[in-house]
Amino acid sequence: MSTELRLAEVQQKIVEFCNGCGRDPAGVTLIAVSKTNPAESIREAAGAGQIHFGENKVQELTSKMDQFDDTLKWHMIGPVQTNKIRQMAGRVDWIHSVSRTKELDEIEKRAEMAGRSINVLIQVNISDEDQKSGCEPDELPALLEHAAPMAHIRVRGLMGMASFTDNMDVVRSQFRMLREMRDKWQNHPDKRIDLEHLSMGMTNDMQVAIEEGATMIRVGTAIFGERNYS
Ligand SMILES: *Cc1c(COP(=O)(O)O)cnc(C)c1O
């Protein structure tokens, strides 16, 4: 099946899942996770109207960004290495996977040098699995307060990944926990902290994520097909 057809199917599912839980599909942004897939597939998806693309490695991200004009929006969703922030700071629109103060410091510095502002999501470890990245829930307040005065970073919300399991009750409780954290901080008295976004849900758990309030879903396999490596 073509990328275009698979993309249309995913868009239809988003509408269906939103209808099923009384949400407006306009409140869910689809991020097409193009990692490992060629620029040609991105071009095909972009031709079908897809705007947001996600990558998890800086080098792959920057080489792909360079091949497209700024009608496309780019999301870094993979582990952040501070020594690579400089390479993407001039162009990346969103970084979903920030979990340490030194990453915030470096993004602020490089965004300022590039004369722009970068949207950041704080990744929280909601699955309690050691190999999963993200800050611990109790580290979140300090990270938010650290970022609040920064002029070239806008913290827009939280990102999380659920456990790799078919047990959707487990996945749901993890997504719900992230949503509760977001809700708690959304109306922070410090108006520089405003967490409207929840980036959660992938190919296998996007329905549960939408039901639990995701505003951004990161979908790769359902759009581009199975990957050979991740
Ligand atoms: C690869 C990846 C995705 C997409 O996963 P699929 O199961 O292919 O939809 C989403 N989020 C992150 C952080 C990823 O690395």
Side-chain angles (χ1 to χ4, degrees):
M1 206 194 289
S2 71
T3 299
E4 194 177 343
L5 276 176
R6 281 192 297 250
L7 177 63
E9 273 190 6
V10 171
Q11 285 162 338
Q12 200 184 323
K13 276 190 185 152
I14 293 172
V15 172
E16 205 177 287
F17 297 154
C18 283
N19 287 342
C21 63
R23 292 190 59 195
D24 179 355
V28 180
T29 298
L30 173 62
I31 300 168
V33 177
S34 46
K35 64 187 183 190
T36 79
N37 286 284
E40 198 41 51
S41 302
I42 296 172
R43 200 161 285 117
E44 195 181 335
Q50 179 64 30
I51 291 169
H52 296 268
F53 291 88
E55 290 283 338
N56 69 338
K57 294 195 173 111
V58 170
Q59 200 185 339
E60 191 174 346
L61 170 73
T62 54
S63 84
K64 284 174 175 167
M65 287 192 299
D66 288 347
Q67 298 176 59
F68 295 92
D69 68 27
D70 58 14
T71 54
L72 300 190
K73 302 286 178 210
W74 292 93
H75 299 247
M76 174 60 182
I77 62 172
V80 175
Q81 290 165 277
T82 46
N83 62 348
K84 293 191 176 160
I85 289 168
R86 177 181 55 81
Q87 297 166 39
M88 62 178 166
R91 177 78 162 82
V92 72
D93 296 288
W94 294 78
I95 304 178
H96 288 229
S97 33
V98 177
S99 60
R100 293 176 298 171
T101 54
K102 68 172 189 180
E103 295 163 4
L104 288 166
D105 293 343
E106 181 69 9
I107 295 168
E108 169 65 12
K109 176 179 157 191
R110 298 298 174 180
E112 180 175 18
M113 289 171 76
R116 55 201 298 272
S117 166
I118 296 176
N119 297 301
V120 160
L121 304 179
I122 305 294
Q123 182 174 358
V124 183
N125 182 358
I126 51 174
S127 70
D128 217 24
E129 286 165 19
D130 286 343
Q131 76 274 22
K132 286 271 169 61
S133 32
C135 72
E136 294 307 313
D138 64 359
E139 295 172 328
L140 182 62
L143 282 162
L144 294 174
E145 275 155 27
H146 190 81
M150 293 180 163
H152 304 87
I153 285 181
R154 283 187 67 199
V155 177
R156 305 284 301 273
L158 305 179
M159 184 272 229
M161 291 174 83
S163 299
F164 290 114
T165 170
D166 292 334
N167 185 340
M168 287 300 140
D169 293 339
V170 170
V171 169
R172 187 179 298 281
S173 74
Q174 293 172 346
F175 285 157
R176 189 165 294 174
M177 180 170 114
L178 193 68
R179 182 201 180 135
E180 284 166 0
M181 271 184 261
R182 191 279 312 265
D183 291 349
K184 179 174 172 193
W185 290 96
Q186 194 169 22
N187 294 311
H188 194 274
D190 184 336
K191 287 301 162 212
R192 296 169 301 183
I193 300 176
D194 182 17
L195 308 182
E196 77 247 53
H197 283 291
L198 271 178
S199 167
M200 58 188 197
M202 315 183 359
T203 294
N204 289 328
D205 53 19
M206 58 181 270
Q207 176 168 11
V208 176
I210 288 171
E211 289 167 359
E212 294 302 324
T215 66
M216 295 179 159
I217 56 173
R218 310 176 311 271
V219 179
T221 308
I223 297 173
F224 296 107
E226 291 290 341
R227 288 179 297 273
N228 295 324
Y229 60 102
S230 68

